[in-house]
Amino acid sequence: DAGVIQSPRHEVTEMGQEVTLRCKPISGHDYLFWYRQTMMRGLELLIYFNNNVPIDDSGMPEDRFSAKMPNASFSTLKIQPSEPRDSAVYFCASRRGGDTQYFGPGTRLTVL
Amino acid sequence: SQKIEQNSEALNIQEGKTATLTCNYTNYSPAYLQWYRQDPGRGPVFLLLIRENEKEKRKERLKVTFDTTLKQSLFHITASQPADSATYLCALERSWGKLQFGAGTQVVVTP
């Protein structure tokens, strides 16, 4: 298996623009997690899905952030409009049942 | 509030020695605790999981202990090698499915 796939790997955008981050989980995994990592706040859980259904989005910072999982092999995290404070590395992770989490390589987002 | 604390200062250690990292937590009663390794520019990679009823877990040169009374986990890398240089994160289960991560401790192993 190729592992968790994220795209793009790097994104530079201007404040106010819409940003869409993409994730393909490992086949057969029924949980998908979106995290954000910054120097100041470390690795934070934003939202997670089970069988494509959002279970807990309490970590989503505000309404500018939204996440979808239309099917078992694809998820998106959207920021609209983006702000400089959204600059971070965004990780997607997947898991099968109660097993351990497997992280993707991350998307480094820079909002100017 | 629930807190996880790891040594914020980098741990510099000579090759061949044992590196010991600490993870302390408050206001938790986790069913298990996990340790991850993160290299620059990469996502965290799972290393070990230890459950609340386990005192110690080993995997090759890695050893983890879990003291639920002290609310502390220790992570040991024995016979350390330069390739062990990375940031190590501990993570606790907040509720089923959700992990909360510590800030991580950077380990630098010099030849």
Side-chain angles (χ1 to χ4, degrees), chain A:
Chain A
D1 202 318
V4 176
I5 298 172
Q6 291 187 246
S7 64
R9 292 295 313 277
H10 302 273
E11 176 82 30
V12 180
T13 190
E14 293 190 346
M15 184 173 65
Q17 296 298 305
E18 177 180 295
V19 175
T20 299
L21 311 181
R22 296 172 176 79
C23 175
K24 176 178 168 54
I26 294 172
S27 176
H29 284 195
D30 54 351
Y31 283 84
L32 184 139
F33 304 82
W34 282 101
Y35 290 87
R36 177 173 69 176
Q37 188 173 40
T38 60
M39 288 293 292
M40 288 295 294
R41 300 176 65 91
L43 193 61
E44 303 173 279
L45 177 65
L46 301 177
I47 185 172
Y48 78 95
F49 296 81
N50 178 220
N51 292 322
N52 313 338
V53 176
I55 302 301
D56 188 333
D57 65 355
S58 59
M60 296 286 260
E62 47 198 274
D63 292 345
R64 296 184 297 107
F65 286 68
S66 62
K68 292 182 180 179
M69 192 165 185
N71 57 62
S73 58
F74 184 65
S75 177
T76 60
L77 178 67
K78 188 176 292 187
I79 308 172
Q80 164 64 19
S82 57
E83 296 182 3
R85 61 192 167 119
D86 301 331
S87 297
V89 181
Y90 291 81
F91 289 104
C92 176
S94 69
R95 191 182 81 192
R96 182 174 56 198
D99 205 344
T100 57
Q101 294 187 19
Y102 294 83
F103 283 79
T107 294
R108 181 173 294 277
L109 174 64
T110 303
V111 183
L112 304 174

Side-chain angles (χ1 to χ4, degrees), chain B residues 88-100:
Chain B
Y88 293 85
L89 307 163
C90 73
L92 280 81
E93 182 194 28
R94 284 189 63 180
S95 60
W96 204 87
K98 287 179 67 168
L99 290 179
Q100 182 165 346

